Amino acid sequence: MESRINASIDWLDERTIFINILTHIMCGIVGKFDLNGNNNTSRNLLDKMLYTINHRGPDERGIYLNKNFCFGTARLSIIDLENGQQPLCNSSGILWIAFNGEIFNYIELKEELIKKGYKFKTQSDTEVVLAGYEIWGTKVLSKLNGQFAIAIWDKSKQELFLARDRVGICPLYYTVVNDCIVFASEIKAMLAD
């Protein structure tokens, strides 16, 4: 990656370099939800899916797994390098998020959520999205200014919420096969199942 960045500096301005880097390397998410609760998820499946998108997030991988739902992330660490690991859960451990993207107004949203009593444990925009979902539900989407693909798992309701930015800058593909929802940042990850 270093040589690609240095080569770009010779002929592009700083903004174009940043955009160029982000189009080559960005986070990715993958997951599967068995609608019948038939235990069709596994660590092995997640590892295969994440392997196909490893280039999107070279810094770390994270997974969440239970009997009928699993998801994972390939993370490129940009914000909150120390505590921004994903998937991330809320304080009760009921809501879990896998997030790809960047929320440009997350600092303003964080201030609004703090005023509503939310206690943050990280400095990441990921936690702001999760807190917003906890407080506002799906209406959080209307408050987000950015590029994103989001998967939020509600463990108590056994509900999956998937969303992407309005323009589709951060891709999110999904399909339903054999009563399972399979989703990923790239189609090839879905084919690993």
Side-chain angles (χ1 to χ4, degrees), residues 111-124:
E111 290 169 1
E112 190 176 339
L113 290 161
I114 288 171
K115 288 178 186 171
K116 292 186 174 289
Y118 196 90
K119 305 262 190 261
F120 286 88
K121 59 185 177 187
T122 75
Q123 299 300 314
S124 71

Side-chain angles (χ1 to χ4, degrees), residues 133-146:
Y133 182 82
E134 187 173 359
I135 302 292
W136 299 307
T138 59
K139 292 181 180 161
V140 68
L141 293 178
S142 66
K143 294 182 172 281
L144 300 178
N145 175 13

Side-chain angles (χ1 to χ4, degrees), residues 48-60:
K48 283 192 227 174
M49 292 175 80
L50 286 169
Y51 178 78
T52 66
I53 63 163
N54 193 54
H55 60 280
R56 296 181 71 89
D59 294 335
E60 69 185 27

